[in-house]
Amino acid sequence: MASSSGPDPAMNKAESKASMIESIKGRSMSGVRVSRGDLRRKMTMPAYLRLAIRDAIAAKSIDAGKRHYGVASLCLVDDGGGEKCPLGTPESPVVVFVNSKSGGRQGYALKSKLQNLMGEEQVLDLQTVKPHEFVEYGLGCLENFAALGDSCAKETRERLRIVVAGGDGTVGWVLGCLGELHKQGRDPVPPTAIIPLGTGNDLSRNFGWGGSFPFNWKTAIKKTLDRVLHAPLCRLDSWNLVISMPAGVELDTPHALKQTEEVILDQDLENAGRLPEQVSCYQGVFYNYFSIGMDAQVAYSFHHLRNEKPYLAQSPIANKIIYSGYSCKQGWFFTPCMTGPSLRGLKNILRLHIKRLNSPKWELIHFPSSVRSVVALNLHSYASGRNPWGNLKPEYLEKRGFVEAKADDGLLEIFGFKQGWHASFVMVDLISAKHIAQASEIRFELRGGAWKEGFMQMDGEPWKQPMNNEYSTFLDIKRVQFQSIMIQGRTTILE
């Protein structure tokens, strides 16, 4: 009898059913109920530290919390049975950032639930407290106490774990601010877990935290936090994007993209066009993907509608319906891609150069004229859990000179979408996208031609990019030296 080459489907179905039942009951996978009292003791900071952090952030001064220093003996916590006991250094202190605007009304309800569980000061609403304020003043206050000899503050700072409740853009925002700690020599950088509240939630999917806010979240939240405390860590590459464009045109960018000083372009690369004497530069960091073309135009239209009429986009399901409508309206399906290729395809306005892994040389990469979106992808998850790059066979990887795609391998996977039917088949995993290259460094050069503007996005945050027919716009992508530390929700990703 032949032996089985894979897991038993019946066993997988039984395990999935058991997992769902345990989740609904609010138990861990071992069958042991997560105790509210134990959970609070493990993740709740002593009151004097919570209050000191709160005051430091509010006053924007690390010294503002000093009035709480030295009162650790007064800190008590509920032991779960109604009794109060002294609270020392928690096993895994947790700070949660909640984007209360994400997930419709779920963000507000989640914030209230979490504040009731661990204390108001450890649950920060991003509408009132920005992540860089917490990094500069909140963590600065803990470090200040530690320098004064407070061992509890020192251990709390070293053991801290972060949870971000929001979409991919929110997660990237927090990760970027935490990355500043490494630049400033303020290690360790706290690891990050995710509660998905956005539309796509690809970062959450990739690291095993699920693709959507669970329907039974009120009972499942304790289990999620318990996983935050004990789950293993992994690493995530991030990528720096620099835009160099003709000055004189104001660029309306997302919060992840900021104007910066002029950047000197790599002189080893010969460019088709040129930059004027006056240049504007913008810089930002992405963790999942950067794209140019039709998919970014769809995202731009959706975000514009959500900002103008937020009542139309109050749930993930409503968001996906609107997204689908814009996908058709913007021309993916209704306009043949070869009708006026200079207006539809990217080839006539875009040149692509890459550096391969461990190679110092630039290489010009050609792609089909029918490609209407070019995507540089870091994760296995794109557009709500799809994998356009695909799970490629070893012989194909070897033939194309590719390697297996990972989130921490120092490479971006570059692929293209053509007409709408091609994109739709990719999205339902019937085919892979058009494989273009794997790269450790990328340069896009854009010339306006018949186009006056284009659309771009990174990690789901789109913007409209003006283009000039006389001068080129350059986009340079290079890996950030520091890798983000992530908390792995599951060792095997099921979604």
Side-chain angles (χ1 to χ4, degrees), residues 6-306:
D8 182 359
M11 183 177 295
N12 280 348
K13 182 178 289 187
E15 289 176 351
S16 299
K17 186 175 181 180
S19 174
M20 180 179 295
I21 293 173
E22 295 300 338
S23 175
I24 292 173
K25 290 181 178 179
R27 299 173 183 265
S28 69
M29 290 306 295
S30 63
V32 179
R33 182 178 294 276
V34 178
S35 165
R36 178 187 177 92
D38 287 344
L39 194 60
R40 291 192 65 183
R41 278 193 296 273
K42 290 177 181 178
M43 66 182 182
T44 304
M45 301 179 196
Y48 81 103
L49 291 182
R50 290 187 277 121
L51 295 174
I53 290 172
R54 179 201 64 187
D55 291 354
I57 294 173
K60 293 182 171 52
S61 169
I62 62 172
D63 294 324
K66 276 189 175 180
R67 66 190 182 92
H68 300 288
Y69 181 73
V71 294
S73 60
L74 301 179
C75 299
L76 301 175
V77 67
D78 192 332
D79 67 356
E83 298 294 329
K84 297 287 185 178
C85 61
L87 177 65
T89 306
E91 178 183 313
S92 295
V94 172
V95 167
V96 183
F97 290 98
V98 180
N99 187 343
S100 57
K101 285 189 175 181
S102 293
R105 299 172 182 172
Q106 295 171 328
Y108 290 102
L110 176 64
K111 181 181 75 170
S112 177
K113 180 78 172 179
L114 290 170
Q115 287 178 335
N116 183 53
L117 185 62
M118 68 177 69
E120 182 177 335
E121 299 83 7
Q122 285 180 234
V123 182
L124 307 178
D125 190 333
L126 288 166
Q127 303 305 314
T128 56
V129 177
K130 310 307 179 189
H132 71 271
E133 295 172 342
F134 169 77
V135 168
E136 183 174 354
Y137 306 113
L139 293 186
C141 178
L142 284 181
E143 293 162 356
N144 197 21
F145 278 22
L148 294 173
D150 187 331
S151 60
C152 182
K154 181 176 183 294
E155 292 173 356
T156 297
R157 170 67 180 87
E158 292 172 348
R159 299 176 186 178
L160 184 66
R161 293 194 168 201
I162 302 294
V163 177
V164 182
D168 288 342
T170 302
V171 176
W173 184 18
V174 175
L175 290 178
C177 293
L178 292 175
E180 292 298 314
L181 291 168
H182 180 76
K183 295 180 183 179
Q184 298 166 8
R186 296 168 59 193
D187 293 320
V189 177
T192 302
I194 305 168
I195 296 176
L197 291 182
T199 303
N201 300 311
D202 290 298
L203 279 163
S204 178
R205 295 172 191 272
N206 190 82
F207 292 102
W209 295 102
S212 61
F213 197 53
F215 72 94
N216 61 317
W217 68 272
K218 290 184 179 180
T219 54
I221 193 64
K222 289 191 296 181
K223 178 188 171 185
T224 298
L225 292 173
D226 188 60
R227 284 164 53 196
V228 169
L229 305 185
H230 302 109
L233 306 182
C234 54
R235 294 183 178 273
L236 169 66
D237 285 337
S238 56
W239 298 85
N240 188 62
L241 169 69
V242 176
I243 302 175
S244 302
M245 57 181 284
V249 179
E250 186 175 351
L251 191 61
D252 184 15
T253 63
H255 72 261
L257 198 61
K258 305 295 183 184
Q259 192 160 11
T260 186
E261 296 180 357
E262 183 175 348
V263 176
I264 299 177
L265 296 176
D266 191 336
Q267 299 302 313
D268 294 335
L269 179 58
E270 181 180 349
N271 303 306
R274 59 193 178 92
L275 277 174
E277 293 183 2
Q278 299 296 321
V279 177
S280 294
C281 293
Y282 295 82
Q283 184 270 336
V285 174
F286 67 92
Y287 298 86
N288 190 0
Y289 67 92
F290 167 79
S291 72
I292 302 175
M294 191 65 73
D295 67 322
Q297 184 178 359
V298 171
Y300 181 85
S301 298
F302 169 77
H303 278 254
H304 180 74
L305 176 70
R306 186 168 62 176

Side-chain angles (χ1 to χ4, degrees), residues 243 290-293 296 446 454-458 461-463 465 475:
I243 302 175
F290 167 79
S291 72
I292 302 175
L446 291 116
F455 293 88
M456 303 179 184
Q457 64 172 331
M458 58 183 192
E461 294 191 68
W463 70 94
Q465 178 69 44
L475 297 97

Side-chain angles (χ1 to χ4, degrees), residues 355-361 409-411 439-440:
K355 286 183 180 179
R356 300 190 186 273
L357 189 63
N358 300 322
S359 173
K361 296 182 179 180
D409 59 4
L411 288 171
S440 62

